[in-house]
Amino acid sequence: MHRFARAVVRSTQTFSTVRSYATTPKDSVLVNVVRQTLKDIEAAGTYKKERIITSPQSSNIFVSTSDKPVLNFCANNYLGLSDNKELVAAAKDALDKYGNGLSSVRFICGTQIIHKNLERSIANFHGKEDAILFPSCFDANGGLFETLLGPEDAVISDELNHASIIDGIRLCKAQKFRFKHMDLQDLRAQLEAAKSARVKMIVTDGVFSMDGDIAPLDKICDLADEYGAVVMIDECHATGFVGKTGRGTPELFNVMDRVDIINSTLGKALGGAMGGYTTARQEIVDLLRQRARPYLFSNTLPPAIVGSTQKVFDLISNDSSRRDIVERNTRHFRKRMTDAGFTIAGKNHPISPVMLYDAKLATDFANDMLEKGIYVIGFSFPVVPRGQARIRVQLSAAHSIEDVDRCVDAFIEIGKKRGVLKA
């Protein structure tokens, strides 16, 4: 038996996805409200149960419900670096040299030379003047708008931007405008409505995570130039693998010098651990260091993550081979699935949503795929709009062509079984 498979019995005995709540006379109003809310979530079929992985994150993983490995097609592990041996060695080396943690925020006694070196590597990678590390990109988005924008300013945001952008914008006092998803005509209308603002900031995801569609940054930058606006993008699902050398959507659209602010993550393609950052002009980064609350009041990133992420930038800054494999796998998957009769959302991105539309079908389909040794997850409301349920497949450089073919073959077999495809 494989060493990770041996953990299966232990994990299924230790963890349970089924909750039962004991009722006592001392239950508070809050506990009763929470208990009813949980019942409502379960009744709606949107209760999220966590599958337990008993191995490192990779293209082949072990889960607690099986003693056989399964192919993972739902991780953000785009470059296949989550279990990379060079990264693990770099993390161990940083742990030995710089310790487990800093027990401090950055401005007190939480900045080591490795943090400054990594920020310099990030800025150089994106062609910016400086960068600032955050505990996550959620925190980077949470600290940006409140710091940079006041009541006399305006923020114009795509309606499908990530939740962290939405929450970050809520914290600021700027005038708030929302444009229809990737609708340039509506963006123009919102810019026109905001034209009297001191600072006008257009905010968009570079790649939208549920659909795999890519913001038209060249045209967005044209509108920004016309209206004197600045452009801020979230590159979490682009950094490291979108664009000719992995510099993201600005490189894809040849606007690297026209995008003012880039927020991104270390927790997806760049090793899969945690951490986020903002990279921009020096003045913007300097002000964030002074006033961004998630930066000022959160512990600094631990040395092991900083060390391993520095290794990521060493590996990808002058080598696009992993990015090229992701592109190859993406094209192969999308072509075979489309040829078979499936509808795949997005365009040429490793996020390849297989549209099934019905929530129960998406869940049942994903469960059938797991029985075939393919780990995917069904997404339905409220994560996506009603009637837009899908299985979001994500391709990785860690997948071989044979892995991709096995995944497609399973989709075709179950698609015929479930009536999605003609038998």
Side-chain angles (χ1 to χ4, degrees):
M1 184 180 289
H2 194 281
R3 66 189 178 97
F4 295 124
R6 285 198 294 269
V8 170
V9 176
R10 291 197 299 273
S11 65
T12 53
Q13 290 175 344
T14 305
F15 301 102
S16 173
T17 57
V18 178
R19 298 288 187 189
S20 59
Y21 302 101
T23 302
T24 71
K26 293 184 179 180
D27 284 349
S28 66
V29 173
L30 174 62
V31 168
N32 289 326
V33 169
V34 169
R35 184 179 289 127
Q36 184 58 51
T37 300
L38 288 167
K39 288 180 180 179
D40 293 343
I41 293 172
E42 189 167 10
T46 57
Y47 192 93
K48 299 169 187 64
K49 297 179 180 179
E50 298 174 357
R51 292 175 178 173
I52 300 166
I53 299 173
T54 61
S55 65
Q57 183 65 277
S58 185
S59 59
N60 281 272
I61 59 174
F62 281 85
V63 295
S64 62
T65 54
S66 175
D67 59 356
K68 297 179 180 179
V70 296
L71 282 172
N72 188 359
F73 276 89
C74 61
N76 299 313
N77 187 24
Y78 297 110
L79 295 178
L81 294 174
S82 293
D83 64 338
N84 180 274
K85 292 182 180 179
E86 291 183 81
L87 268 63
V88 173
K92 291 178 179 178
D93 184 59
L95 194 64
D96 288 339
K97 289 181 178 178
Y98 295 99
N100 185 59
L102 275 299
S103 303
S104 174
V105 300
R106 286 285 297 269
F107 81 93
I108 298 179
C109 58
T111 299
Q112 294 172 316
I113 187 64
I114 54 174
H115 294 89
K116 300 303 294 182
N117 289 342
L118 178 56
E119 288 170 338
R120 174 51 46 202
S121 294
I122 291 169
N124 289 342
F125 185 79
H126 289 284
K128 300 300 182 188
E129 293 180 2
D130 200 0
I132 175 174
L133 291 168
F134 287 88
S136 68
C137 191
F138 203 111
D139 286 315
N141 287 333
L144 182 79
F145 306 104
E146 183 183 24
T147 299
L148 298 182
L149 302 175
E152 59 271 74
D153 304 317
V155 57
I156 306 99
S157 177
D158 188 293
E159 66 179 352
L160 294 188
N161 277 338
H162 191 267
S164 60
I165 294 176
I166 295 170
D167 286 359
I169 289 173
R170 285 171 175 164
L171 293 172
C172 79
K173 294 182 173 63
Q175 305 163 57
K176 300 170 180 67
F177 300 85
R178 184 172 62 184
F179 64 96
K180 296 175 184 176
H181 180 48
M182 299 201 310
D183 186 325
L184 295 169
Q185 184 175 351
D186 193 41
L187 174 56
R188 176 183 289 278
Q190 301 308 318
L191 284 165
E192 190 68 29
K195 65 181 180 181
S196 63
R198 180 185 63 175
V199 174
K200 294 172 284 293
M201 181 181 290
I202 302 171
V203 180
T204 182
D205 281 331
V207 174
F208 293 84
S209 61
M210 283 296 107
D211 293 301
D213 46 3
I214 302 173
L217 280 188
D218 52 347
K219 295 179 176 62
I220 289 173
C221 287
D222 288 344
L223 283 172
D225 291 344
E226 181 178 343
Y227 283 88
V230 297
V231 177
M232 177 270 172
I233 61 172
D234 181 311
E235 284 284 85
C236 287
H237 289 277
T239 302
F241 61 97
V242 169
K244 186 178 180 180
T245 65
R247 264 69 178 181
T249 51
E251 182 181 45
L252 181 67
F253 289 98
N254 194 29
V255 292
M256 289 186 68
D257 59 341
R258 299 173 67 193
V259 172
D260 300 279
I261 302 169
I262 297 173
N263 280 9
S264 195
T265 181
L266 311 179
K268 292 182 172 60
L270 305 182
M274 65 176 296
Y277 60 85
T278 297
T279 185
R281 289 280 300 270
Q282 188 70 59
E283 300 92 333
I284 291 173
V285 172
D286 286 349
L287 184 58
L288 289 171
R289 291 193 196 281
Q290 297 302 311
R291 291 188 175 175
R293 293 169 70 85
Y295 180 82
L296 292 172
F297 298 106
S298 297
N299 258 25
T300 186
L301 282 178
I305 290 176
V306 176
S308 63
T309 306
Q310 181 63 62
K311 186 63 179 179
V312 172
F313 282 99
D314 294 344
L315 291 173
I316 71 172
S317 289
N318 298 299
D319 179 8
S320 62
S321 60
R322 291 177 178 84
R323 173 246 170 243
D324 296 342
I325 295 172
V326 179
E327 182 178 59
R328 178 205 68 184
N329 289 345
T330 298
R331 292 186 183 278
H332 186 71
F333 177 84
R334 283 178 170 269
K335 184 179 188 305
R336 279 207 64 199
M337 289 289 284
T338 302
D339 289 348
F342 286 102
T343 299
I344 310 298
K347 291 184 179 180
N348 300 323
H349 190 276
I351 294 174
S352 301
V354 181
M355 302 305 297
L356 297 172
Y357 307 105
D358 181 79
K360 186 177 187 303
L361 173 61
T363 298
D364 292 343
F365 203 117
N367 290 336
D368 288 349
M369 290 287 286
L370 187 59
E371 291 181 5
K372 293 292 182 182
I374 308 295
Y375 189 127
V376 290
I377 295 290
F379 288 82
S380 57
F381 183 84
V383 179
V384 296
R386 293 186 190 276
Q388 293 294 310
R390 81 279 307 267
I391 290 176
R392 187 182 70 173
V393 173
Q394 290 168 279
L395 286 303
S396 168
H399 293 132
S400 66
I401 286 293
E402 292 75 20
D403 291 338
V404 177
D405 282 335
R406 182 179 160 195
C407 179
V408 173
D409 290 343
F411 264 107
I412 292 172
E413 179 181 346
I414 296 166
K416 292 178 179 178
K417 169 188 169 183
R418 291 279 175 185
V420 177
L421 302 178
K422 293 181 180 179

